Amino acid sequence: MTHKHPLTSIVIPTYEMKGQGVIFLRRCLDSINKQNINNTDAIEILISDQSSDRAIEEFCKAQNIKFSLRYHRTLTGRGIAAHNLNIGIQQALGKYIKILFQDDLLVEDEYLNTLHACLAENGPQAILTCATHTK
């Protein structure tokens, strides 16, 4: 049996954030789960977790979302965000990687459709996207 890889891996590096990690990750995952996209198999979510506790791991196990969600416990480089992100990227199966930090969210419900349309039309090696910072 051949396993088809997703087109896009959304890599979310996480940690406990002084007990707020699950709260931020829930909001982040909710923003992904509300995306209007026909082919949910084209997306995977990869959580790379450097938490000192198991709260995020347990939260991920309990999730019932429309996209594939994979959890990876990162035991090395604790406290080094770039290391945690790099481990997540190494674990990702997608052709393209979307980095999304646990305290970020996708604001537009059509973001993934727009992203995949751009990928299909242009076949770029990389895409840069912007962010808006709010309080």
Side-chain angles (χ1 to χ4, degrees):
M1 182 170 111
T2 304
H3 177 70
K4 186 175 180 185
H5 288 176
L7 179 62
T8 304
S9 295
I10 300 174
V11 175
I12 306 173
T14 64
Y15 68 106
E16 70 277 351
M17 293 181 76
K18 298 181 181 177
Q20 302 294 304
V22 168
I23 294 167
F24 282 102
L25 183 58
R26 175 180 287 118
R27 189 181 75 154
C28 179
L29 290 179
D30 285 348
S31 80
I32 297 169
N33 202 42
K34 73 177 185 174
Q35 290 292 299
N36 298 320
I37 189 165
N38 294 331
N39 184 6
T40 58
D41 291 336
I43 302 291
E44 77 159 345
I45 301 167
L46 189 287
I47 307 294
S48 180
D49 185 24
Q50 280 189 327
S51 294
S52 59
D53 59 30
R54 300 270 184 186
I56 288 176
E57 180 179 11
E58 294 303 316
F59 171 76
C60 288
K61 287 179 184 177
Q63 291 309 292
N64 183 17
I65 61 176
K66 62 186 176 185
F67 301 107
S68 168
L69 175 64
R70 293 191 306 122
Y71 174 88
H72 178 79
R73 186 154 184 85
T74 302
L75 300 174
T76 57
R78 173 133 170 78
I80 303 170
H83 177 77
N84 193 18
L85 175 59
N86 288 335
I87 294 294
I89 290 170
Q90 290 171 5
Q91 295 292 317
L93 299 175
K95 179 177 180 180
Y96 294 96
I97 307 290
K98 166 63 181 157
I99 298 167
L100 192 64
F101 294 100
Q102 81 190 82
D103 61 346
D104 292 341
L105 53 106
L106 301 179
V107 176
E108 297 174 4
D109 294 349
E110 298 293 329
Y111 174 81
L112 293 176
N113 273 336
T114 301
L115 175 67
H116 284 178
C118 179
L119 295 174
E121 184 177 327
N122 302 303
Q125 292 181 358
I127 294 177
L128 299 176
T129 58
C130 298
T132 299
H133 293 270
T134 62
K135 292 185 180 183

